[in-house]
Amino acid sequence: WAVGAVVLAVAAALLVAVGPQGAGAARADTASGHRWITDRQGRALVLRGLSTASSAKGAADGMPWIEEKDVARERRALGTNFVRFLLQWRKVEPSPGTYDRTYLRQVAERVRWYGERGYHVLLDMHQDLYGPRVGGNGAPAWATETDGLTSAPTDPWELGYVEPGTVRAFDRFWGTVEGDGRDLREHYVGAVREVARHFADDDTVIGYDLMNEPWGGSVQGPAFESGPLARLYQDAIDAVRTVDRDHWLFVEPSAIGSNWGFATGLPRLDDPRGDGDAARIAYAPHLYPLPMDLGGGYTGSTKGQVDRSLRAWREQTEKTARRLGAPVVIGEFGLDTGLPGAMEYVEKVQRMADDMGAGFAYWSNDPGPWAPWDAKLRPTKLLPVLDRPAPLAVAGDPVAYGWDAAKRTLAVSWRGTAGVRGGTEVRLPARHFPKGGRVAGGVQRAWNPKSRILTLDSGPGTHSVRITPRR
Ligand code: IDC
């Protein structure tokens, strides 16, 4: 989002205005007024994982780089329970109104690889810079209308969002400029519904991310988010519900601004399932503080700016989640692990996610400098940072949880709620718990040294459990 010095100056001023106290006053309590995505046993899911994968964007068959053995390695190495799986509209609907069943079956095969290892999969309708005809990925060529305007490659890639062909393609998609009448939004909604129809009965799928980093073209800010974007989301939600009653619908704000911690104008959306606890709309904003987008690390004066950005981001995210009545999953965060302070930053974001009771998908699992493995699939220094003790599923309403590295203690507290089956599951990585865990304040029901999952007894009332390494 390097859109120049002016933006940077405005951004800095706004961040200073929000100030350090802003979100610092947020509750440590993650339970009250906070909704949770639950598993089939009614347990609150703490979703932790990565996106799979950027490589799918340009692949002819639209598949990410992974083979089944890579999924097995991801589970073994990180113990994650979540994956954000990239889809491409160009593959779902290669020609107008025609859906590619072979593509959806190939996706389903990979979803099964994850499902067999205990993962929950979020299917992400990904796009960057609209589509390949204007230098990006996502939309099919037949749905890219540029009125003769073109887009040149840019460095960094995000600047492509202001290339004329890309802006026009978005404007035509949203219907905010005069066009030849073809309703591209209706096609997009149809493609999302087709994905949902295919996966409606798939228990590994947790939901659909309706659009990656929506961009308003020449219409920005609340005019975009409360207008064309909200309409598209509502139409997509209504369409999905005609074929899929149960999976969650994840919505993202317009990335510009929100990724840095600014407010979003996204309004509350209606789920035909019903209001309150019946609704299944989740909020999945991305987190990329501006100083880091501009290439900075987490060090020196940049560190202070990033910290302010994180506080602002948390405050805005919690506010928006309350407005939407939605649980929060950080849909993307990530950085080049070679940047100074990068590991401290990843550690900090994970702590923040725990404090917020939010899930996350680190960007991304593509082997290379951002990932927990390099191009030769050897672990990078990110791997031990992501391989962190955490609860996976909580048998009730989570109150608070977190790993204290200094005290070598994983604390989890929750209120048992009626109708929940099974115990609370926590994962204890071998690097921190070589001989398993010693449980205080609760009862260990089971320990699986292979999956590193310890199950705790639950029941009515409040539970407050502390787990330290067994000696
Ligand atoms: C990036 C990839 C990069 C690719 C670029 C454009 O890492 O290799 O060239 O997309 O396709 C996002 C996007 C996500 C980006 C990621 C990192 O949602 O697709 O992936 N990012 O730049 N928003 C902010 C950052």
Side-chain angles (χ1 to χ4, degrees), residues 38-41 43-50 68 71-76 78-84 109-122 202-206 391-393 425 427 448 450-451 453:
T38 50
D39 67 9
R40 300 202 53 134
Q41 295 166 241
R43 298 180 299 185
L45 288 171
V46 180
L47 298 169
R48 306 170 62 254
L50 296 91
E68 188 165 7
V71 175
R73 183 167 31 74
E74 190 162 313
R75 176 73 179 191
R76 250 193 338 269
L78 302 172
T80 42
N81 63 348
F82 181 50
V83 59
R84 179 170 175 263
E109 184 187 10
R110 282 148 186 83
V111 167
R112 185 172 52 76
W113 297 345
Y114 281 104
E116 284 172 356
R117 292 167 178 87
Y119 279 91
H120 303 279
V121 178
L122 171 60
D202 191 322
D203 284 340
T204 298
V205 170
I206 200 149
L392 297 173
E425 290 183 353
R427 178 173 171 278
N448 181 335
K450 199 158 165 272
S451 67
I453 293 174

Side-chain angles (χ1 to χ4, degrees), residues 19 44 81 86 141 198 239 243 335 365 398:
N81 63 348
L86 273 71
H198 200 92
V243 295
L335 77 174
N365 82 352

